[in-house]
Amino acid sequence: MTTPLSSPDHAEHETADPDTAIPGAAYSRPPLPRPRIPLPESWRADWITAPSLSQVPGSTETSAPLFRRAWDLPSAAMRATLHLSGLGTALAWVNGSPANDQRLAPGLCDYSVAARAVSWDVSRHVLGSRRVSLAVEMGRGFFDLHTPEVWMWSTAPWRATPRLTAELHVTCEDGSTQVLMSDGSWRCGTGGLRFDSLYEGETWDEAAEPHGWRDPDFEDAAWPSAEAVTPDPALSAVLPRPRAAREVATSWLPLREAMTEPILVQERIRPTWTALGDGRFVGDVGRVIAGWTRLEPLDDVRREITVIHGERLAADGSVIAENSFIPTGRFQRDDVALEGRPVESHHGYKGFRYLEVRGAQPGTDLEVIAQAAWADVPLVGGTDSSDPTLSWLERAFVATVRANLHWVLTDTPTYEKNGWTGDAQVALPALLTRFDLRAFLTSWLDDMLDAQRADGSLPVIVPSAGWGYGDGQCAPAPEWTTLYPVLVAALEGEYGLDLWPIHGEAVERYLDFELGRLDADGLAEGILGDYLAPGREGPPPEDIRLESSLLLRRALVVTADSGRSAHADRFRAAADSLAEQALRVFFDAEHSTVASRPLRGSRAPADADPGFRQAPQILALDAGIVPPDHVSAVVGHLVEDIRSRGGHHDAGCLGMARLCSVLVRAGRPDVALEVATNPTAPSWESWRQSGHRTLLEMWTDPVRSRAHYFMGAGIDVLARDLVGLERTSPHWRRFRVAPTLVPGLADISASHGGIHAGWSWADGSDGTTGTGGAVLRVSVPEGSIADVVLPDGRVAEVGPGEHTWEL
């Protein structure tokens, strides 16, 4: 916990209804990449660290290290730029003021390869000064995580006391430029932050904070000197290497310019409070958010306060804060000793809807404000609909994704904070049509290069400290890791980026790794499959090889179709072979079904028959491998099974991502709408009726994460299939609109940048009554062309402007 960071660089707002912070249908054309201040061509500063913190009076080995240095200038400062990198998380102050409003900087990385670095203009903090200071507090992040957990962050090979390197470039009135650097002349100490963990929370004691330590004239003679890290030129000897982000060699670990948008406080939400009657108070934020709490005392009385953060409540109304992956007994808990100063956490974040406060009464002793923070990724698209379920789904998807925009695209802000490849794999189309992710995901691709092993394999989470490569670690799982080649192709198509020169060799090496481990049937083997189908707490009961093989086939096809690979013919032949073998092993031509063979291995009883499963039908239909004369029958069996379940799906993350799209394209949009809007579980509508404003990880109780976006991946059906909006050339210079009218749905529209398309029934009905037809409206921005395919077969090519058709 630290004193609050506030800055006019970014406007925060308060909202009583969190949904109001999620825009509707007004979106601007995707912006150009935001300008960044480059790192210096050569890096002169040392890496520094603190001596053993147990040697610092009053501190412990888990206290957050503080670093500071002040310099006298030859003349008054005119402007200044701070370049900073840290292993862990860093808060910086220049002349006592926050250097920037960015949180959790400089960003996560594979710390055995590189360290991310940020550059900020700090001129306003030094203007006119003859003396300047730089002060930095370091959090542990994933670099020095003390919390035991299952993903091996706490046993990472790089673990050590947090480290810092910084250069403050100051231009003075006399025309000189002073480069003020981190080195052994800096002083270090500890303050109020006695413990910080991304999972467990933070411990703060105001009495231990050396107030004024950030200021230029603070007396630091009693503080021990920082230790310069021993130079290791071998760490930078591999430069230059292909990465999208520019890298700079240092005396130790190379610096990589941070590409992702900064994590900022985006909302300040005042919870509604309930007293439990025993000195505990529970606040409701309204939806699950990612962020932290700000405590603002209303008096100077010393109070020892505990704040517990969680996504759900126990039967007695208290907050549940537990994680089976964290065996310490402490989870998302801040212990704070206040003495009249505002305090908030800045070296970690939590996922929570509810807050439990002990030791003070909110509104009487202090104000408690929830602060939602996510990477400042532009929202550039979305949908709007008359249907309350579909409208809810749009808002819930956006809110859930935002709760996972931290360093990389995570699975849950509460329980893991890991960059799971499979989550992005299933949701990628929906993600790209709503957010401008060119920088965010291009940066993640650099992490995938870091994570790739010499044999071409990739882990299921990226970055990784070594977890996720082998059996027992949710791997191997090509249905997850094939995200890598798919993502390279998608970003090239979506934004016109040229990524193949950086990633082409690694993509080919990865595909060859997967092809090299096909089984005796010529199929890919995975371990996750159609994860978390209703009633399941893990993989589905069927043979996962079908799902693994079809996802690998897709990766081979998109790589071959990109025209970038010299091995395109070989990859295309391998894709055809996977399709043939999948049909041979799984397709039952007599009954026109994709057979759900028993799950192989120790996780299922021998010869257990899983019965008819929806996901294999969905994925085979979506992949287009079902023989044409059987497609109608396979669709019929799928619809029959849905109807036999009372209008419910039985699919996990892979199947549900494509179910509604498959149904619409097969001419059954009525069934797709029935599945989505079914008021009983499992369905999106059941989540809406239960009061959720974010997406859940599982379809049926018990539910763990309540901010998990992958079960909302099927939202892609709204824009791509019902509106029919689809990009057909890079950067949306050409796109297609082919609407599907659905009786029972009054209207639906989709926007992406300056593009807007939507239809509505002309007589104001929902299409089930009345004699009027429908109206289609399409807005084409400058520089784009639309190919419009109407339901009656008419085709039109239109340029910029507003266009209307009667259907």
Side-chain angles (χ1 to χ4, degrees), residues 52-177:
S52 175
L53 295 180
S54 62
Q55 300 174 11
V56 178
S59 69
T60 68
E61 287 291 354
T62 53
S63 296
L66 311 179
F67 299 94
R68 62 163 279 115
R69 177 74 158 84
W71 299 266
D72 292 317
L73 303 176
S75 63
M78 295 176 59
R79 56 184 177 273
T81 302
L82 174 61
H83 307 281
L84 178 145
S85 181
L87 302 187
T89 55
L91 295 176
W93 292 263
V94 175
N95 277 3
S97 297
N100 193 272
D101 58 349
Q102 181 175 349
R103 312 298 173 90
L104 303 174
L108 178 61
C109 204
D110 182 333
Y111 299 115
S112 64
V113 177
R116 285 202 157 86
V118 292
S119 298
W120 299 320
D121 184 345
V122 294
S123 300
R124 61 193 177 94
H125 302 315
V126 304
L127 185 63
S129 299
R130 292 288 301 269
R131 183 172 173 81
V132 297
S133 65
L134 175 57
V136 181
E137 178 183 87
M138 295 294 299
R140 299 184 182 275
F142 278 128
F143 175 70
D144 187 30
L145 185 72
H146 284 253
T147 302
E149 36 68 47
V150 302
W151 308 284
M152 297 172 57
W153 297 110
S154 55
T155 59
W158 54 65
R159 271 200 61 191
T161 302
R163 299 179 175 188
L164 167 72
T165 187
E167 291 188 2
L168 181 61
H169 292 225
V170 182
T171 301
C172 299
E173 289 180 352
D174 65 3
S176 66
T177 297

Side-chain angles (χ1 to χ4, degrees), residues 459-655:
V460 291
I461 61 170
V462 177
S464 170
W467 188 88
Y469 290 92
D471 292 339
Q473 298 176 341
C474 295
E479 61 274 27
W480 257 235
T481 49
T482 46
L483 170 68
Y484 182 38
V486 169
L487 184 55
V488 170
L491 295 185
E492 288 198 328
E494 184 72 18
Y495 304 115
L497 303 176
D498 186 20
L499 297 172
W500 189 260
I502 299 172
H503 296 280
E505 181 182 348
V507 163
E508 292 171 342
R509 191 163 66 249
Y510 166 71
L511 291 174
D512 282 335
F513 166 78
E514 295 293 356
L515 292 173
R517 49 178 296 273
L518 299 182
D519 69 4
D521 287 322
L523 295 173
E525 290 197 82
I527 194 173
L528 297 174
D530 188 40
Y531 204 65
L532 296 179
R536 295 281 165 179
E537 295 185 4
E542 70 263 14
D543 188 337
I544 289 169
R545 292 182 300 161
L546 175 68
E547 295 144 22
S548 301
S549 298
L550 292 182
L551 270 294
L552 176 57
R553 174 182 177 270
R554 183 180 72 157
L556 291 162
V557 169
V558 299
T559 301
D561 288 351
S562 71
R564 310 302 300 274
S565 174
H567 303 287
D569 290 344
R570 179 166 64 85
F571 289 150
R572 190 171 286 110
D576 292 342
S577 177
L578 279 168
E580 292 170 4
Q581 295 303 99
L583 283 174
R584 181 183 65 81
V585 174
F586 290 98
F587 189 65
D588 181 348
E590 180 182 354
H591 300 95
S592 293
T593 60
V594 183
S596 299
R597 294 180 178 273
L599 182 67
R600 306 194 316 171
S602 61
R603 290 176 291 114
D607 300 322
D609 182 3
F612 183 91
R613 300 288 297 169
Q614 292 180 12
Q617 326 303 316
I618 297 164
L619 296 176
L621 287 166
D622 185 61
I625 70 166
V626 176
D629 55 338
H630 289 271
V631 168
S632 179
V634 173
V635 171
H637 292 314
L638 175 60
V639 170
E640 181 183 357
D641 190 73
I642 291 171
R643 289 280 164 78
S644 72
R645 297 174 183 275
H648 290 118
H649 71 86
D650 186 39
C653 66
L654 295 181

Side-chain angles (χ1 to χ4, degrees), residues 188-343:
C188 61
T190 60
L193 186 56
R194 318 309 285 170
F195 174 82
D196 70 286
S197 164
L198 286 171
Y199 295 117
E200 293 181 271
E202 302 185 4
T203 299
W204 167 266
D205 187 348
E206 180 70 27
E209 178 74 355
H211 295 293
W213 73 272
R214 306 170 185 86
D215 299 331
D217 297 324
F218 177 77
E219 180 52 61
D220 60 12
W223 285 24
S225 297
E227 294 181 353
V229 177
T230 302
D232 186 353
L235 285 172
S236 290
V238 295
L239 297 178
R241 60 185 166 215
R243 295 293 187 272
R246 176 170 164 262
E247 293 189 331
V248 175
T250 75
S251 63
W252 191 59
L253 198 63
L255 302 185
R256 181 179 298 169
E257 288 182 337
M259 294 183 65
T260 60
E261 288 80 0
I263 297 171
L264 304 172
V265 172
Q266 307 279 1
E267 294 178 65
R268 289 165 49 88
I269 306 169
R270 294 185 180 274
T272 56
W273 293 97
T274 300
L276 297 185
D278 55 358
R280 295 180 295 161
F281 301 87
V282 172
D284 184 356
V285 173
R287 74 172 193 273
V288 178
I289 64 170
W292 50 84
T293 47
R294 175 181 169 87
L295 307 180
E296 298 181 348
L298 298 178
D299 55 37
D300 294 332
V301 176
R302 178 179 172 85
R303 290 187 173 89
E304 295 185 1
I305 300 167
T306 294
V307 184
I308 299 172
H309 307 71
E311 293 184 354
R312 54 200 174 98
L313 299 177
D316 65 355
S318 61
V319 173
I320 297 174
E322 57 188 31
N323 187 344
S324 60
F325 300 131
I326 309 297
T328 65
R330 173 175 176 169
F331 182 61
Q332 294 205 142
R333 188 187 83 210
D334 290 338
D335 294 324
V336 182
L338 288 177
E339 292 187 354
R341 294 174 182 264
V343 173

Side-chain angles (χ1 to χ4, degrees), residues 658-691:
R658 303 306 303 156
L659 170 59
C660 291
S661 178
V662 163
L663 290 171
V664 171
R665 295 186 180 195
R668 298 306 307 265
D670 57 321
V671 182
L673 201 61
E674 180 182 2
V675 169
T677 62
N678 197 313
T680 59
S683 70
W684 290 316
E685 172 61 12
S686 69
W687 288 351
R688 184 182 79 91
Q689 291 193 12
S690 295

